[in-house]
Amino acid sequence: MNRQKADRMRELVNLLNRAGKAYYQEADEIMSNHEYDKLYDELKRLEEELGITLAGSPTVNVGYEVLGELPKERHESAMLSLDKTKDVEELKRFIGDQKVLMSWKLDGLTIVLTYRDGELFKAVTRGNGEVGEVITNNARVFKNIPLKISHKGELVLRGEAVISYQDFEKINEEIEDVQARYKNPRNLCSGSVRQLNNEITARRNVRFFAFSLVQAEGTDFKNSRESQMIWLKKQGFEVVEYRMVTADTVEEEVQTFSERILDNAYPSDGLVLIYDDIAYGQSLGRTSKFPRDSFAFKWADETRETRLLEIEWSPSRTGLINPVAIFEPVELEGTTVSRASVHNISIMEELELGVGDKIEVYKANMIIPQIAQNLTRSGMVDVPLACPVCGEKTQIRKVSNAKALYCTNPECQAKHVKAFSLFVSRDALNIEGLSEATLEKFIAKGFIKEFSDIFHLDRYDREIRQMEGFGEKSYKNLIASIEKARLTTLPRVVYGLGIAGIGLANAKVICREFKNDVDAMLHADEETLNDIDGIGGVLSGAFVSYFKDDNHIKILLNLLKELEIPEEIVDNTERILEGKKFVITGSVTHFANRGEIKELIESLGGKVTGSVTAKTDYLINNDVHSTSSKNKKANELNIPIISEEDFIKMTQGRI
């Protein structure tokens, strides 16, 4: 029963946090205030009943703190490394006639937690095994650590702080400087856990998985490690996934774990085995380096010999040009691999990579392709003197004691991926299938140099179909989305150019003022723009400055040749929704999507917001009798709820 209540408590924490984020950060509501208060009270009751409060709970407010440095502290008992093997037969010898707990060996940062009187008292990193760093303030903002537990005696446990592959990729995407990006989730986790400002830690989605109980004052675990893990779950901790195995079942279970590594949300570099019988394990003592009650199994890296075909030089938005090894395809860990990043020129020199060399490749942690060694070492390939994207000069620079190649051209297209990303975004040309990562690849290969080139990607159909992540279906979907984007509006185009400060709403105002006359807009002066309601001196200056650049004008005119922009008659007398505020929710049938309704409302002078408030005039919802939070709020405030058909009648003749 307590386990069900603990699960319900976690469910409530997640639900209430989603509602809070929607309300405070996204100006939206996923539940009414009444419903929020009801669930909040239920969470409080469960926390009091179970004596557990999770770090992410909305019932606690963990303050952010900035430290000058992380204090050091000596561990009460040394944290030894584990003896390890890649041989299952050796695991069988270790197990003997005992039962062992076998779990993921998570690849993160080991943390020791101490609780006193039911509250988190201290968190210390493993450090060198003897001395670690105190990171208590940071641990308080991990996503899943209990700040309060029901056990009142002293509790000491160990676990792994980790960051998921998904969060790792998301955080790395946000780091503009490629050299500053983290190499793997473990490095990111280490940097996140050891921050001096725990507000940064809070944004990194660090999670903690307990793997060992050191001490739990006054508690009898009946000499069983598994009993300890079950007890820790009841205290509100997430524990590392484990299986009870014997010498007869260990081989099968190792295979089961290895087959799941590619789908695992968190990085793992192997497995850990520990005797379930606590007294037996402790009786074995330890060596000078390892405890004898536990053993680590490391994934045996599957390696393949292949032949290096070429080094592809891939420019990035920071100007860094990354070397990528292209080799004859080989099967590794169940997938076909034909490329691996070499990272920088120093590594190339160390490997003495030359075209035609026989190389050995593997997947680090069974996931990331790497070159293990060069078997023939014919010598370094030539480093390009010109950027493969823009053709301007390159330069070798030393960064963090490693040599790297850079493009020296500040206007190189590869440095403007963000601009292309904005151009294809939903409020601009709305082209699906062109993620930032895909754009970066296309630009690096020279497929895209300016916006108009996107409408001619079919010139590279064969190359795109053969790219990793692309196939016939995804290619056809991309081309269809590009063709669909040709029919658009001038405000979307203006917004998509990325003029500083000019959002979609500003673009609509400017286009309406100039009656969609492109030539008039290109030659507008600051004074004229400044007179437009809602366009001040800063925006007018940015707009005029942008079109003083002849290249920007050329790019726009080339783009307009690819687009179909229907003639729009702007009549300010038709602004029948002037001053009216709408909220749109639910599915639509008469319009392609809710965005189309929003565009119509704004063209008629109205505004669309995300949440129902006392200032809302109408809520548009085809299910007018729905019990959704927005409908409830509208009914509470006596705000009319209208269907699409009601809205169409309201704007009859204007759609």
Side-chain angles (χ1 to χ4, degrees):
M1 180 62 73
N2 275 2
R3 187 167 180 178
Q4 290 176 337
K5 289 178 178 178
D7 289 342
R8 174 59 177 166
M9 184 174 69
R10 288 193 181 90
E11 181 185 352
L12 289 170
V13 168
N14 290 332
L15 183 57
L16 291 169
N17 282 340
R18 282 208 323 270
K21 181 182 178 184
Y23 186 82
Y24 291 108
Q25 297 179 24
E26 299 166 1
D28 199 359
E29 289 184 47
I30 62 173
M31 66 176 65
S32 66
N33 291 340
H34 175 76
E35 187 179 0
Y36 182 94
D37 292 340
K38 179 182 172 185
L39 296 178
Y40 184 93
D41 291 340
E42 182 187 352
L43 176 62
K44 283 281 287 183
R45 286 195 301 272
L46 284 171
E47 288 179 342
E48 289 167 5
E49 180 183 343
L50 300 176
I52 297 170
T53 305
L54 297 175
S57 174
T59 66
V60 294
N61 180 21
V62 180
Y64 295 130
E65 184 174 346
V66 179
L67 302 176
E69 62 178 15
L70 292 173
K72 306 285 193 299
E73 182 171 301
R74 183 170 292 278
H75 296 296
E76 289 186 18
S77 58
M79 298 183 67
L80 303 178
S81 300
L82 298 183
D83 199 0
K84 55 186 72 71
T85 184
K86 294 184 179 183
D87 183 2
V88 175
E89 292 302 318
E90 194 167 352
L91 292 185
K92 291 179 182 179
R93 288 192 291 274
F94 167 76
I95 296 171
D97 60 358
Q98 294 290 315
K99 292 191 298 184
V100 301
L101 266 65
M102 186 167 76
S103 62
W104 292 114
K105 186 176 184 295
L106 295 175
D107 194 13
L109 196 69
T110 300
I111 308 290
V112 184
L113 300 181
T114 302
Y115 287 77
R116 291 181 183 169
D117 299 322
E119 295 191 7
L120 177 62
F121 173 71
K122 182 172 59 179
V124 184
T125 66
R126 180 185 184 279
N128 62 8
E130 298 284 344
V131 177
E133 292 175 308
V134 180
I135 49 102
T136 312
N137 290 320
N138 295 344
R140 291 182 187 280
V141 297
F142 288 2
K143 288 300 176 186
N144 63 336
I145 278 186
L147 299 180
K148 294 182 181 179
I149 59 175
S150 58
H151 180 72
K152 300 306 176 188
E154 181 161 292
L155 168 65
V156 181
L157 70 151
R158 295 171 180 172
E160 200 79 356
V162 289
I163 289 177
S164 71
Y165 284 114
Q166 183 178 357
D167 285 323
F168 165 71
E169 289 167 4
K170 181 181 176 184
I171 291 165
N172 253 1
E173 280 286 319
E174 295 169 356
I175 300 174
E176 299 251 344
D177 184 356
V178 175
Q179 283 292 86
R181 288 181 181 175
Y182 293 91
K183 301 298 183 191
N184 52 56
R186 186 192 184 285
N187 288 350
L188 172 59
C189 185
S190 177
S192 302
V193 168
R194 300 172 62 251
Q195 288 287 331
L196 297 177
N197 181 352
N198 67 345
E199 186 173 3
I200 297 172
T201 307
R203 295 198 297 265
R204 298 285 176 82
N205 288 337
V206 180
R207 300 185 78 87
F208 175 87
F209 291 93
F211 61 65
S212 172
L213 193 153
V214 179
Q215 173 191 343
E217 200 172 53
T219 308
D220 180 14
F221 297 107
K222 298 181 173 55
N223 195 39
S224 168
R225 293 280 183 190
E226 185 173 34
S227 294
Q228 291 181 335
M229 300 294 265
I230 293 169
W231 183 83
L232 284 171
K233 285 183 185 178
K234 290 178 180 177
Q235 295 297 314
F237 295 95
E238 285 191 70
V239 302
V240 65
E241 182 186 347
Y242 66 87
R243 297 278 189 280
M244 185 74 81
V245 302
T246 64
D248 292 332
T249 62
V250 65
E251 188 167 3
E252 181 183 347
E253 290 293 349
V254 166
Q255 181 62 29
T256 301
F257 271 97
S258 68
E259 288 170 355
R260 293 176 49 217
I261 187 71
L262 294 177
D263 300 320
N264 204 19
Y266 299 95
S268 163
D269 56 355
L271 301 168
V272 173
L273 289 79
I274 187 167
Y275 294 118
D276 181 55
D277 187 324
I278 298 172
Y280 173 76
Q282 290 177 342
S283 72
L284 299 175
R286 45 172 279 188
T287 69
S288 60
K289 291 183 178 180
F290 310 119
R292 288 198 172 102
D293 67 345
S294 46
F295 211 76
F297 176 79
K298 300 283 284 184
W299 304 121
D301 294 322
E302 183 181 7
T303 60
R304 288 284 183 274
E305 285 186 14
T306 184
R307 190 170 66 90
L308 183 67
L309 299 177
E310 65 171 306
I311 293 292
E312 181 183 276
W313 296 89
S314 178
S316 68
R317 69 191 68 174
T318 60
L320 177 69
I321 304 176
N322 294 293
V324 179
I326 311 298
F327 43 82
E328 290 179 347
V330 290
E331 288 288 320
L332 276 177
E333 312 293 354
T335 61
T336 303
V337 179
S338 61
R339 55 196 292 125
S341 175
V342 190
H343 300 303
N344 55 54
I345 292 175
S346 294
I347 293 175
M348 287 184 63
E349 289 176 340
E350 183 182 331
L351 290 169
E352 297 180 281
L353 282 177
V355 172
D357 278 345
K358 185 185 289 185
I359 59 174
E360 199 171 78
V361 294
Y362 72 104
K363 277 188 176 180
N365 284 355
M366 300 174 71
I367 291 177
I368 304 167
Q370 301 280 314
I371 296 177
Q373 59 178 324
N374 183 0
L375 301 173
T376 49
R377 293 181 173 269
S378 66
M380 265 281 289
V381 298
D382 291 334
V383 175
L385 301 176
C387 171
V389 170
C390 68
E392 295 293 325
K393 287 183 179 180
T394 59
Q395 181 183 72
I396 296 176
R397 301 175 190 165
K398 198 162 188 179
V399 181
S400 303
N401 295 318
K403 286 191 244 178
L405 188 67
Y406 281 84
C407 172
T408 59
N409 177 17
E411 295 303 316
C412 179
Q413 292 88 348
K415 297 181 182 180
H416 299 287
V417 174
K418 289 285 186 187
F420 287 97
S421 183
L422 171 69
F423 178 76
V424 302
S425 66
R426 187 177 61 180
D427 287 341
L429 272 288
N430 192 24
I431 302 176
E432 295 180 7
L434 281 179
S435 66
E436 204 163 291
T438 300
L439 283 167
E440 199 159 359
K441 289 177 185 175
F442 286 177
I443 291 168
K445 287 182 174 293
F447 299 169
I448 300 173
K449 291 184 168 60
E450 60 179 81
F451 297 139
S452 60
D453 293 332
I454 290 173
F455 295 93
H456 296 288
L457 282 173
D458 54 350
R459 295 168 178 164
Y460 309 100
D461 58 341
R462 185 178 59 82
E463 294 97 320
I464 293 173
R465 284 188 179 98
Q466 292 175 354
M467 286 174 64
E468 189 175 350
F470 268 90
E472 187 67 28
K473 185 177 179 182
S474 54
Y475 170 76
K476 285 183 176 178
N477 289 341
L478 172 61
I479 297 301
S481 181
I482 289 171
E483 289 305 309
K484 183 180 177 183
R486 288 184 186 275
L487 180 63
T488 188
T489 65
L490 191 60
R492 284 174 172 270
V493 175
V494 172
Y495 166 66
L497 296 176
I499 304 170
I502 303 295
L504 183 57
N506 305 131
K508 287 177 179 177
V509 170
I510 292 170
C511 291
R512 187 184 300 126
E513 180 69 23
F514 288 98
K515 297 181 172 56
N516 283 358
D517 185 335
V518 173
D519 191 60
M521 283 192 286
L522 293 180
H523 296 92
D525 56 32
E526 287 190 42
E527 187 177 353
T528 303
L529 286 160
N530 209 11
D531 287 338
I532 301 173
D533 187 29
I535 306 296
V538 174
L539 295 184
S540 59
F543 192 90
V544 171
S545 175
Y546 182 87
F547 288 115
K548 279 184 178 175
D549 187 326
D550 290 339
N551 191 47
H552 288 163
I553 294 175
K554 173 177 152 294
I555 288 171
L556 174 59
L557 295 179
N558 286 344
L559 172 62
L560 291 174
K561 293 174 186 175
E562 305 296 336
L563 303 176
E564 182 184 345
I565 300 176
E567 187 175 347
E568 184 180 339
I569 300 172
V570 181
D571 185 352
N572 289 331
T573 63
E574 293 295 302
R575 293 172 64 78
I576 59 169
L577 301 181
E578 190 77 59
K580 300 294 183 185
K581 290 186 177 177
F582 293 78
V583 173
I584 311 165
T585 190
S587 59
V588 296
T589 55
H590 295 284
F591 293 83
N593 51 50
R594 289 186 293 192
E596 279 197 1
I597 304 178
K598 180 181 177 184
E599 282 192 19
L600 177 60
I601 290 170
E602 290 176 345
S603 72
L604 297 174
K607 288 188 177 180
V608 177
T609 60
S611 56
V612 178
T613 69
K615 294 181 180 179
T616 303
D617 292 293
Y618 296 97
L619 170 63
I620 300 175
N621 186 353
N622 279 328
D623 187 357
V624 294
H625 302 297
S626 162
T627 57
S628 68
S629 59
K630 284 188 170 71
N631 276 34
K632 286 180 182 177
K633 187 78 170 182
N635 286 324
E636 287 172 11
L637 298 172
N638 294 318
I639 292 165
I641 303 173
I642 62 174
S643 66
E644 260 183 292
E645 291 185 359
D646 296 328
F647 173 71
I648 289 170
K649 290 175 185 175
M650 181 188 294
T651 57
Q652 201 67 47
R654 295 168 180 91
I655 39 179

